[in-house]
Amino acid sequence: MATDALRSQVAAKWQESFHRLNSDAPGISGLMNFSEAWAISTQYLYPWDINNASLDGGGKPFGKDLNVARPAFSLVNHSRRLPALLENFLDDMRQNFYLIENEINQFMERYEADEDTAEIDPLITKLMEWYKSWAPPQELGSTFFSSYTLNFQTRLFSALPPSFAHGFKKLCARLLSPPDDDHAQWDPNIHAEVWKNFEILGLIDRYESIIASVGYEFIENHVLSKCTGEWGKPMLEELRVWMSEKVVPWMLHVYARGASNAEEARSMLQGVGSRFDFHINKTLCDLRTREIFDIIIDFPDSMGALQDLKDCLQRVDQRANLVRSLRKSNQKRLLHPGADTKLILQQYVATIKCLRIVDPPGVLLFKVADPIRRYLRERPDTIRSIVANLVGDDDGGDSLVDENEPIQPLQQPEFEDYTDPQWEPEPIDAGPEFRTNKPGDILSTLVSIYDSKDLFVKELQVLLAQRLLMITKDNSDRVERERKNVEILKIRFGEAALQVCEVMLRDMTDSKRIDGHVQSQKESVVHPTIISRHFWPSLESSDMVMPGQFKQLQEDYAHEFNVFKPDKTLKWLPHLGTVQLELELEDRTIEVDVPPLEAAFIELFADQAIWTLDELVKAVGAVDRSAAIKALSTWVDHGVLKEDPENTFRLLERAEEPSEAVVRERDLAALPVVEDTPAISVAQQQQADQMRVYWKFIEGMLTNLEKLPLDRIQSMLKFAPGYDRSIEQLGDFMEAARREGLVVVRDGIWKLNK
Amino acid sequence: MKVTVKQWHAVAQWRWDTGHSEQDDDGEGDVCGICRVPYEGCCPSCKMPGDDCPLIWGECTHVFHMHCLLKWIGTAASKQQCPMDRKPWLTAERKVGSAPVS
Ligand SMILES: [Zn+2]
Ligand SMILES: [Zn+2]
Ligand SMILES: [Zn+2]
């Protein structure tokens, strides 16, 4: 029950309100004014349909005359009814927002149809039009206005379909991208108005992460298009310049809006600027990580990329990624039977050099090198390849060891020397296996693949011996070259290790001197290399005896030698060396350089035209049957001998047409991949099947190296287990593969047919 | 057919003509009784074999690296005797060209 006091209190309140509403006018005339003012105010504020407005005489929408509305607002305000007016206004907005919604939907339907940002542009313009048209006038105060804005934005966001975000992102990207012509003076400020609209509509805050992703993608695209495959010079600095010229002005609209001066803008940009700079580093780092294998191949032309990678890695922690990527590429592209050892060594050396640039302490190298070293250790010809390269016996291959690297003794692995003033603690990702890799020379690193250098020294001796024994009277100047080699190797491997090489070299010069003397006493066609036993790597011995005139030549020379050196005798190693022969046959003369066994056999045929294999073998002492067959086939190939019947050889005083047997053998070598080849023998089929095994290797190497000449394929196939085909057989096989459409050939270069 | 040898690049080893002709070729050959290094090798104080580290023949038919024997003879313990048979060392005249050309 209301008490009297309460009743009178309510009455007083009512009176007060009434007086306010009635503006202290007589009777209720004031009240009449208020309701009129209310009506004018709500009419003025009414969220109208801008597409379909009834205009008054002045061309303005009906009821939109601010001169009329201003006193009404004032009255409503005076009557403290502004909150009610706002409430009413917002309610009208709620009811009429469907107008905007409809319009949005029309635009977005068109956008969804063709995803053309040309639909988004006018939508934004249109939204701005709605926003401005519905905006309450200044007279109603800032609270009124900000409530309106907030309400408008809230309704707008819920009205925008999900596809808008996508379209908006594309629009932002377009606003950011300069025209295709990079050199054109592009002014990002031309879009200032658009950005302002975004801001007014609240889109920048709402879609901040989308706008940021536009920035990130923009950076990414630019880095990839500018830097992919461009390894010559460092790019990072250039990218930073680009960023400050092209991206920062854009960022100002987004991240420094409302900054009143440059200083303020700078500090507002600091956070995002650093994130974008990080993104440049990260994108470039990822790119170079993906490219690292080829960057290493291109070294030293890829110095710029390596410098960038070094700088990026200091900013971005991607070291583990780099190791993983490079190990994976190495596994796939390098450490397989299709790659030849020389290539692996070259890439390893380049890897050492490159990673030393990227990571001077050597942790990355240590992690990447380990599988390469293990793989090389298992290859049978690694030492030979290194040694061959060392002595320049590498048919044109690049030297593994830099010519301008000082020649220095091999460094043996050392334990860490903590007293070394240069000593630094191991880097944090080093791992327990890591040993500080003092930047030693390349050769020491290669030699350290093995536990001891002795294997290298042995191999050096063998190689030197082979090379020296190839030297004949006609190219004896090569001895001097070998001497220079040995001098260098002595510095590297130590004097003692190369002592036997010294003896070999002296044998070479002694031989020449002795031969000079012998020839002056009694001219001979024999020019021997006389070697010191025990000092040359064990040369396989032979019980071969040279027949006929050869025996005589040996004896004559040995006699003269003994006259010159009475306390010494000569023991011939008849299976070594070469003989230059001239064969005068009835219809032709043939001049050839052949090994001694070939010479011995043909000498026998001078006296007797037909020999069996057994007779021949017996006539030259004991020689290996397969060696004999090989020697005889040399003469068969020259068309001087003919095997007819099997194991019987006949001298062809007159040349014959290539026999049928030879022709058939050639066909046999060709892989019978052609289905209609009649009656393939089991042997032929086996040969074909075996060859198919090697196809995998060929395919592998062509995949990795893209194109190769036949002789390279042949030399690389030699690493495939059991491969023993001649290059002619390989050529036939490749030809057959070409007919099958597996490969193509141009100018003698083979490629996979893709 | 006529076979003409235009040029022959042959390979041979030199051997000391120790007088023990037809020595065992497959083995390491004879070794110096003092240093146990083959005659065609060199004595421990030399690096080059052959004329730089010659042999010396004794009347007793024993053969040594000359450097090895001289060093031995230089020691008091040798009593100027051949280390193999303890006969007084007498250096033999080399029978020049004695080795039959086989
Ligand atoms: Zn000795
Ligand atoms: Zn000596
Ligand atoms: Zn004696």
Side-chain angles (χ1 to χ4, degrees):
Chain A
M1 265 292 159
T3 61
D4 286 347
L6 182 63
R7 212 174 285 130
S8 70
Q9 204 181 342
V10 169
K13 279 267 179 210
W14 191 86
Q15 275 300 326
E16 194 201 330
S17 295
F18 174 81
H19 285 300
R20 200 180 305 122
L21 287 173
N22 204 24
S23 307
D24 296 324
I28 58 162
S29 61
L31 200 57
M32 288 300 286
N33 280 345
F34 175 78
S35 56
E36 197 180 329
W38 179 266
I40 289 170
S41 295
T42 51
Q43 170 66 32
Y44 183 90
L45 288 173
Y46 188 73
W48 49 295
D49 182 355
I50 62 170
N51 291 326
N52 202 6
S54 44
L55 304 179
D56 63 12
K60 287 182 185 159
F62 187 72
K64 288 288 172 184
D65 191 341
L66 189 56
N67 290 328
V68 177
R70 201 172 283 124
F73 288 145
S74 169
L75 183 58
V76 172
N77 187 19
H78 187 70
S79 310
R80 300 207 184 156
R81 294 296 287 159
L82 222 42
L85 187 64
L86 177 60
E87 200 175 310
N88 183 76
F89 170 57
L90 295 181
D91 198 46
D92 286 344
M93 256 178 81
R94 179 178 57 79
Q95 283 183 28
N96 282 5
F97 208 83
Y98 74 93
L99 293 169
I100 298 181
E101 218 169 311
N102 286 348
E103 184 129 41
I104 290 174
N105 288 341
Q106 282 170 27
F107 276 102
M108 291 315 295
E109 259 167 49
R110 287 200 295 274
Y111 170 75
E112 280 163 29
D114 54 12
E115 304 224 325
D116 187 354
T117 54
E119 304 293 345
I120 305 291
D121 267 332
L123 172 59
I124 303 285
T125 314
K126 204 64 203 256
L127 288 172
M128 278 305 290
E129 218 178 297
W130 283 102
Y131 174 80
K132 282 181 184 157
S133 303
W134 287 11
Q138 300 295 322
E139 282 79 357
L140 291 174
S142 64
T143 312
F144 207 102
F145 191 84
S146 59
S147 298
Y148 161 72
T149 303
L150 186 65
N151 203 268
F152 186 91
Q153 290 179 355
T154 310
R155 295 197 181 284
L156 176 63
F157 297 157
S158 70
L160 289 171
S163 58
F164 178 78
H166 186 238
F168 181 69
K169 182 175 175 183
K170 278 169 78 173
L171 179 59
C172 290
R174 215 190 64 213
L175 297 179
L176 174 57
S177 309
D180 286 343
D181 181 5
D182 214 9
H183 301 293
Q185 270 301 315
W186 179 73
D187 174 15
N189 284 314
I190 56 171
H191 296 303
E193 196 58 38
V194 187
W195 284 108
K196 209 162 178 191
N197 290 346
F198 288 170
E199 164 72 354
I200 291 169
L201 292 172
L203 296 174
I204 293 184
D205 281 334
R206 166 81 175 167
Y207 293 112
E208 194 177 354
S209 65
I210 283 185
I211 296 172
S213 75
V214 167
Y216 288 138
E217 282 167 30
F218 185 55
I219 287 172
E220 244 162 70
N221 289 338
H222 181 79
V223 170
L224 292 181
S225 76
K226 276 284 161 216
C227 305
T228 304
E230 292 291 328
W231 305 328
K233 57 178 171 82
M235 306 296 273
L236 209 47
E237 208 38 56
E238 218 168 279
L239 290 174
R240 292 210 168 105
V241 170
W242 167 82
M243 162 116 161
S244 67
E245 280 174 1
K246 307 281 178 178
V247 187
V248 169
W250 175 87
M251 286 160 60
L252 285 170
H253 293 304
V254 185
Y255 299 101
R257 54 190 199 273
S260 51
N261 57 48
E263 192 52 49
E264 202 178 328
R266 194 170 305 128
S267 83
M268 286 168 90
L269 283 185
Q270 213 161 45
V272 65
S274 145
R275 283 200 299 279
F276 279 12
D277 185 63
F278 181 86
H279 199 64
I280 288 182
N281 278 275
K282 168 98 166 64
T283 308
L284 187 60
C285 191
D286 287 350
L287 173 67
R288 295 301 184 232
T289 298
R290 286 195 298 278
E291 295 176 324
I292 185 69
F293 188 85
D294 292 296
I295 289 175
I296 293 172
I297 289 180
D298 260 29
F299 184 82
D301 294 341
S302 53
M303 280 299 244
L306 294 165
Q307 193 54 48
D308 276 343
L309 192 53
K310 180 184 182 185
D311 293 344
C312 288
L313 282 174
Q314 270 156 15
R315 187 90 214 272
V316 188
D317 182 25
Q318 297 285 324
R319 292 161 62 90
N321 272 356
L322 182 67
V323 169
R324 207 174 308 124
S325 162
L326 188 49
R327 282 177 74 139
K328 211 167 135 197
S329 305
N330 283 340
Q331 211 58 46
K332 183 161 166 275
R333 297 177 60 183
L334 194 65
L335 308 180
H336 60 80
D340 72 7
T341 306
K342 211 171 86 187
L343 185 99
I344 299 175
L345 284 168
Q346 241 140 25
Q347 183 74 356
Y348 176 37
V349 168
T351 303
I352 294 171
K353 291 178 183 165
C354 290
L355 292 187
R356 273 185 194 159
I357 293 171
V358 174
D359 173 50
V363 178
L364 298 184
L365 176 61
F366 179 79
K367 291 183 173 179
V368 169
D370 190 50
I372 305 178
R373 292 167 65 84
R374 266 188 283 126
Y375 186 83
L376 281 170
R377 209 176 298 146
E378 278 159 25
R379 281 223 167 188
D381 61 338
T382 298
I383 293 184
R384 172 151 298 213
S385 293
I386 296 171
V387 169
N389 188 283
L390 265 185
V391 299
D393 190 14
D394 207 358
D395 34 271
D398 287 340
S399 180
L400 292 171
V401 177
D402 257 335
E403 267 134 44
N404 34 24
E405 194 172 88
I407 299 162
Q408 49 181 313
L410 284 181
Q411 296 172 358
Q412 300 293 332
E414 295 169 41
F415 290 100
E416 269 182 276
D417 178 8
Y418 296 100
T419 60
D420 181 353
Q422 307 277 0
W423 184 88
E424 280 177 36
E426 282 163 8
I428 191 126
D429 59 346
E433 303 277 287
F434 179 73
R435 290 287 167 271
T436 311
N437 196 349
K438 295 241 182 69
D441 63 306
I442 296 289
L443 182 62
S444 300
T445 310
L446 291 178
V447 170
S448 71
I449 290 175
Y450 298 87
D451 293 333
S452 114
K453 67 174 185 182
D454 295 354
L455 291 165
F456 284 85
V457 173
K458 285 257 152 49
E459 192 62 41
L460 273 170
Q461 292 167 2
V462 170
L463 195 70
L464 183 68
Q466 282 171 354
R467 285 154 62 95
L468 289 176
L469 287 183
M470 300 261 287
I471 294 176
T472 66
K473 159 175 170 294
D474 300 327
N475 54 14
S476 56
D477 52 316
R478 283 209 274 165
V479 175
E480 280 320 299
R481 218 180 70 193
E482 300 301 345
R483 191 182 303 282
K484 276 192 202 110
N485 264 333
V486 168
E487 286 305 318
I488 292 172
L489 292 170
K490 266 180 6 194
I491 300 174
R492 291 191 158 130
F493 288 89
E495 191 110 10
L498 273 296
Q499 180 53 38
V500 296
C501 295
E502 287 287 332
V503 175
M504 290 193 262
L505 286 169
R506 206 202 51 175
D507 284 347
M508 293 304 289
T509 43
D510 279 359
S511 300
K512 196 176 172 189
R513 198 166 41 79
I514 290 165
D515 190 50
H517 178 84
V518 169
Q519 300 290 344
S520 74
Q521 298 303 305
K522 188 180 180 211
E523 224 175 298
S524 169
V525 292
V526 186
H527 302 282
T529 299
I530 300 167
I531 66 177
S532 300
R533 72 195 294 214
H534 312 302
F535 290 87
W536 291 62
S538 56
L539 306 157
E540 56 204 290
S541 66
S542 164
D543 294 324
M544 182 180 153
V545 179
M546 294 300 280
Q549 58 176 316
F550 292 107
K551 193 171 164 58
Q552 193 58 49
L553 285 167
Q554 284 176 334
E555 283 170 6
D556 291 350
Y557 198 97
H559 179 75
E560 286 304 320
F561 175 81
N562 194 240
V563 170
F564 183 41
K565 299 271 179 189
D567 50 359
K568 289 180 189 153
T569 57
L570 279 188
K571 171 163 167 51
W572 296 100
L573 302 173
H575 57 301
L576 300 175
T578 47
V579 190
Q580 193 186 348
L581 289 178
E582 187 186 77
L583 310 181
E584 283 171 71
L585 292 133
E586 277 176 24
D587 61 343
R588 63 205 187 279
T589 302
I590 295 173
E591 203 164 309
V592 280
D593 284 345
V594 288
L597 184 57
E598 272 86 336
F601 280 147
I602 209 64
E603 172 74 3
L604 294 170
F605 280 93
D607 291 337
Q608 181 184 320
I610 298 176
W611 291 78
T612 68
L613 182 60
D614 291 337
E615 289 168 342
L616 285 165
V617 167
K618 205 180 288 168
V620 296
V623 298
D624 186 51
R625 236 179 121 84
S626 62
I629 291 171
K630 186 171 160 282
L632 287 163
S633 71
T634 305
W635 292 121
V636 172
D637 289 349
H638 277 107
V640 176
L641 295 183
K642 182 175 175 174
E643 184 176 10
D644 181 27
E646 210 185 334
N647 289 337
T648 301
F649 292 85
R650 179 161 57 83
L651 178 70
L652 298 176
E653 275 289 359
R654 308 194 73 86
E656 271 186 11
E657 290 302 303
S659 73
E660 218 178 291
V662 173
V663 173
R664 215 185 54 229
E665 202 175 45
R666 288 202 157 272
D667 277 358
L668 244 162
L671 183 72
V673 283
V674 188
E675 297 300 339
D676 59 6
T677 307
I680 301 167
S681 74
V682 175
Q684 278 174 306
Q685 188 59 56
Q686 274 175 352
Q687 205 173 26
D689 289 345
Q690 281 167 12
M691 200 63 204
R692 287 195 177 283
V693 173
Y694 300 116
W695 169 246
K696 275 195 306 184
F697 289 101
I698 298 171
E699 197 179 24
M701 54 181 107
L702 288 177
T703 304
N704 285 294
L705 301 168
E706 228 173 292
K707 47 193 177 183
L708 289 170
L710 196 62
D711 56 337
R712 281 267 290 163
I713 300 178
Q714 173 76 357
S715 67
M716 288 166 77
L717 271 175
K718 288 193 181 134
F719 299 114
Y723 182 80
D724 62 350
R725 301 307 148 93
S726 69
I727 192 159
E728 288 78 17
Q729 287 173 316
L730 175 68
D732 292 337
F733 173 77
M734 293 303 288
E735 187 51 33
R738 189 190 62 77
R739 284 198 301 270
E740 281 193 351
L742 297 171
V743 288
V744 290
V745 61
R746 234 185 102 191
D747 302 329
I749 307 291
W750 295 85
K751 286 168 70 169
L752 286 179
N753 189 14
K754 285 187 201 140
Chain B
M1 176 181 60
K2 181 164 182 280
V3 176
T4 311
V5 182
K6 308 283 277 187
Q7 193 184 317
W8 183 6
H9 170 230
V11 179
Q13 287 172 342
W14 61 265
R15 297 285 171 89
W16 289 117
D17 182 2
T18 54
H20 310 164
S21 57
E22 298 311 313
Q23 49 183 251
D24 178 11
D25 278 338
D26 291 331
E28 283 294 276
D30 288 343
V31 299
C32 164
I34 298 172
C35 69
R36 313 307 296 172
V37 171
Y39 292 135
E40 280 87 9
C42 48
C43 79
S45 38
C46 284
K47 284 181 173 163
M48 288 289 173
D51 296 342
D52 290 348
C53 185
L55 300 187
I56 192 163
W57 280 259
E59 289 288 0
C60 59
T61 75
H62 285 120
V63 186
F64 304 98
H65 292 124
M66 186 179 77
H67 300 141
C68 292
L69 184 87
L70 293 180
K71 206 188 267 174
W72 162 251
I73 294 294
T75 63
S78 74
K79 298 178 186 154
Q80 312 276 308
Q81 293 163 343
C82 169
M84 306 299 278
D85 53 24
R86 291 286 167 181
K87 290 180 188 166
W89 178 263
L90 287 169
T91 302
E93 276 295 310
R94 276 299 287 128
K95 302 153 277 180
V96 168
S98 68
V101 177
S102 55

